[in-house]
Amino acid sequence: MQRRELLLGGTLMGIRLASQSAFAQSSGVKIIPWSDQPAPVPPQAENVIKDLIRWEDLDTQITPNDKFFSIAHYNRPQIDPKTWRLDVSGEVSKPISLTLDQLRALPRHEVAYTLECSGNNGLPFFQSAVGNARWAGASLAETLKAAQINSDALEVVFYGTDQGGEVVRSGTPLEYKFTANFARSMAITDAMNPANLLCYEMNEAPLPAANGFPCRLIAPGWYGVANVKWLTRIEVTNQRFRNRFMGRDYVTIREEQHNGKPVMVETSVGRLLLKSAPARIIERGGQYEIQGMAWGPNPIGAVEVKIDSGDWTRAKLAAEKSQFEWRAWSLDWSPTPGEHAVTSRAIDTSGRVQPAPDDPVIANKKTYWESNGQITRHVRIA
Ligand SMILES: Nc1nc2c(c(=O)[nH]1)N[C@H]1C(S)=C(S)[C@@H](COP(=O)(O)O)O[C@H]1N2
Ligand SMILES: [Mo]
C-alpha cells in the first residue's frame, strides 16, 4: 500500500484515499486552509514537541516518518546500537538481555497503528499530535513468555533511556528532588496482548531517533504515552508502579456527580478514546469536499459532519484498512461564500458517539488530557 502511495505521489494521495476518486496530482485540486490555524508551539515546549505539522498536510493514510510528530518529556537520547541492550528482569525465572541483532532475529511482526498523544486538542497550539505508521518488531508477549513471569507478578514496567529531574511535595519541608527515567507500566494481561511490539522499524525504515531508536514499545489501543521510546529495560514487578507518567502528570481530573454530590475523580491516562477530526477542505472545479480521519479503540461505524448549526450528515467512509488504523472519511459540500464551521463526530460499531463539547465527560474535565470531544474547524469560502 505504502509503495503504491509513494508511486502515485506525495501530497494528494490522502485525498484520493478519502474520496476514492482517482485523479492526477496536477488536476487543479486546491486545499483551502482552515482559517483557525493553531497557535505556534511556545518556546518552552519546542524541545518537548517536534514536527507538529498542519492537519491540511497529514494527507496520507500512512504518515511518512518525516511528517510524524514526536514528544520527549526529558532529553532526546542518541543511542549507540552496538552497545544497546534490552533487559527483561524482575519477577521472572529466566531474565533476558537482548542485543539489537538478537531482537531483530526474533520472529518479525507488523502492526499499523494510529498513535495519538493524549494531550492532543487539549491546548491551543497542540492540535495535530496524531499519526499512523506501520510498526514492525518482535512480540512483547512472546518475549515475556520466554522470560517466564512469576505467578505473583502484577505489572510490567517499561523504562526509557531518557532522564530528567522530578520533584515531589514541592515547596514543603518534605520536598524531594531526584532524577528519573521515563517509564510506564501495564498490567500483565495488557502487556500480554499479542498486538504489542518491541518495535525497531517504522514504515519499513529503522525507527527514527525522535521516535525511539533503536527500540520502542508499540501498544495498539493505548494513547501515545504508553508507547515507551528508547526502551532499555523491562521490569516485571509484584507492586503497582506509579510515577509522573502513571500517577502524577498524566492524570485526568474530572468532576462527577455521586448521590447528588460533586466528587473529583482522578484517573491515569491509558486507553485510546473514540475521536475524529476534520482534516482539510479541498476544491476542484467548483466542487468542494470535506475530508477527515476517525480513530479509536474500537472499529469506526460511521462519521457524521455538521456545517454551522445544521443537521448531522453521514460522511462517506473509506475502506477499512486494519484494526488499529485511522479511517479516512469525506463529504461532498456545496458551501455558500463566507465563513463556515465544520464539526465531525465519530460513532463506533457499538454505537458509542464521540462526545460533544458540552457532554459532562468533556465539560467537567479539569485537565487537558483525553480531549476527545468533537472538533470544530473554521474555513472561509471565497
Ligand atoms: N522514553 C520516552 N518514551 C515516550 C515519551 C517520552 O518522553 N520518553 N513520550 C511519550 C508520549 S507522551 C507520546 S505522545 C509518544 C509519542 O510518540 P512519538 O514521539 O513517536 O510521536 O511517545 C511516548 N513515549
Ligand atoms: Mo503524549
Side-chain angles (χ1 to χ4, degrees):
M1 191 61 228
Q2 201 210 6
R3 186 157 307 140
R4 232 180 78 210
E5 276 177 35
L6 289 175
L7 283 177
L8 286 166
T11 51
L12 296 175
M13 263 320 294
I15 294 163
R16 196 193 65 88
L17 284 170
S19 66
Q20 295 181 309
S21 57
F23 53 82
Q25 198 168 344
S26 56
S27 66
V29 173
K30 217 170 95 194
I31 293 174
I32 320 282
W34 300 110
S35 51
D36 54 4
Q37 290 297 322
V41 174
Q44 65 272 27
E46 269 173 4
N47 248 345
V48 179
I49 304 165
K50 286 198 194 292
D51 297 317
L52 207 56
I53 65 161
R54 303 188 314 166
W55 257 111
E56 290 89 324
D57 301 324
L58 285 170
D59 55 1
T60 49
Q61 175 69 16
I62 295 289
T63 310
N65 291 0
D66 63 358
K67 283 189 178 182
F68 212 100
F69 77 102
S70 77
I71 304 287
H73 289 285
Y74 295 143
N75 57 321
R76 290 174 175 264
Q78 295 285 334
I79 296 173
D80 179 355
K82 290 194 201 72
T83 54
W84 177 84
R85 293 283 182 287
L86 177 60
D87 293 331
V88 184
S89 57
E91 296 291 324
V92 297
S93 314
K94 296 205 156 138
I96 294 176
S97 182
L98 293 170
T99 65
L100 188 54
D101 285 344
Q102 287 169 332
L103 180 69
R104 287 176 159 277
L106 295 173
R108 183 179 188 276
H109 298 264
E110 265 191 27
V111 66
Y113 155 55
T114 301
L115 189 153
E116 183 191 20
C117 177
S118 51
N120 191 28
N121 301 103
L123 298 162
F125 59 86
F126 203 49
Q127 303 288 325
S128 56
V130 57
N132 182 50
R134 268 218 302 273
W135 313 92
S139 161
L140 171 66
E142 292 306 318
T143 308
L144 290 174
K145 276 184 209 153
Q148 299 186 4
I149 296 178
N150 296 344
S151 59
D152 61 349
L154 282 176
E155 294 196 346
V156 183
V157 192
F158 302 89
Y159 287 91
T161 311
D162 47 331
Q163 303 189 316
E166 292 297 338
V167 57
V168 291
R169 302 182 211 98
S170 178
T172 77
L174 293 175
E175 174 178 293
Y176 181 65
K177 289 185 175 156
F178 60 107
T179 299
N181 284 75
F182 184 92
R184 280 277 301 192
S185 74
M186 271 190 181
I188 303 277
T189 46
D190 291 326
M192 295 306 279
N193 184 326
N196 296 333
L197 294 184
L198 300 170
C199 165
Y200 45 76
E201 231 176 76
M202 180 178 180
N203 295 329
E204 282 80 44
L207 269 180
N211 306 96
F213 181 85
C215 176
R216 78 180 301 172
L217 178 65
I218 282 295
W222 295 79
Y223 269 119
V225 68
N227 298 257
V228 177
K229 302 191 285 188
W230 308 299
L231 196 58
T232 178
R233 190 158 73 85
I234 298 177
E235 169 123 353
V236 180
T237 77
N238 57 14
Q239 292 181 298
R240 298 281 178 208
F241 175 82
R242 292 293 177 267
N243 69 345
R244 169 177 162 196
F245 302 100
M246 294 301 293
R248 298 198 299 279
D249 186 358
Y250 271 74
V251 168
T252 291
I253 304 171
R254 187 181 278 116
E255 186 182 298
E256 293 180 5
Q257 298 292 323
H258 289 281
N259 297 327
K261 289 203 181 76
V263 180
M264 298 305 275
V265 178
E266 301 171 59
T267 52
S268 184
V269 170
R271 288 172 212 282
L272 194 61
L273 297 176
L274 178 63
K275 195 159 169 179
S276 69
R280 71 194 70 81
I281 305 284
I282 63 154
E283 183 258 322
R284 53 173 181 269
Q287 296 296 306
Y288 290 79
E289 189 178 280
I290 304 165
Q291 303 181 333
M293 291 295 187
W295 63 95
N298 302 306
I300 300 299
V303 171
E304 295 179 339
V305 179
K306 187 172 72 174
I307 310 290
D308 303 320
S309 53
D311 295 329
W312 290 105
T313 308
R314 276 269 138 131
K316 194 162 61 189
L317 286 181
E320 190 175 1
K321 301 284 169 185
S322 66
Q323 188 184 353
F324 300 108
E325 278 184 87
W326 59 13
R327 198 146 171 204
W329 53 265
S330 63
L331 183 71
D332 293 332
W333 187 29
S334 307
T336 53
E339 180 91 9
H340 293 284
V342 178
T343 307
S344 69
R345 66 178 184 192
I347 302 166
D348 73 14
T349 46
S350 51
R352 268 177 292 250
V353 181
Q354 182 185 356
D358 61 354
D359 188 307
V361 86
I362 298 295
N364 297 340
K365 189 166 69 64
K366 308 299 179 187
T367 47
Y368 62 89
W369 309 116
E370 301 184 283
S371 292
N372 74 317
Q374 294 163 18
I375 295 167
T376 299
R377 299 298 305 261
H378 295 86
V379 67
R380 189 180 307 280
I381 302 295

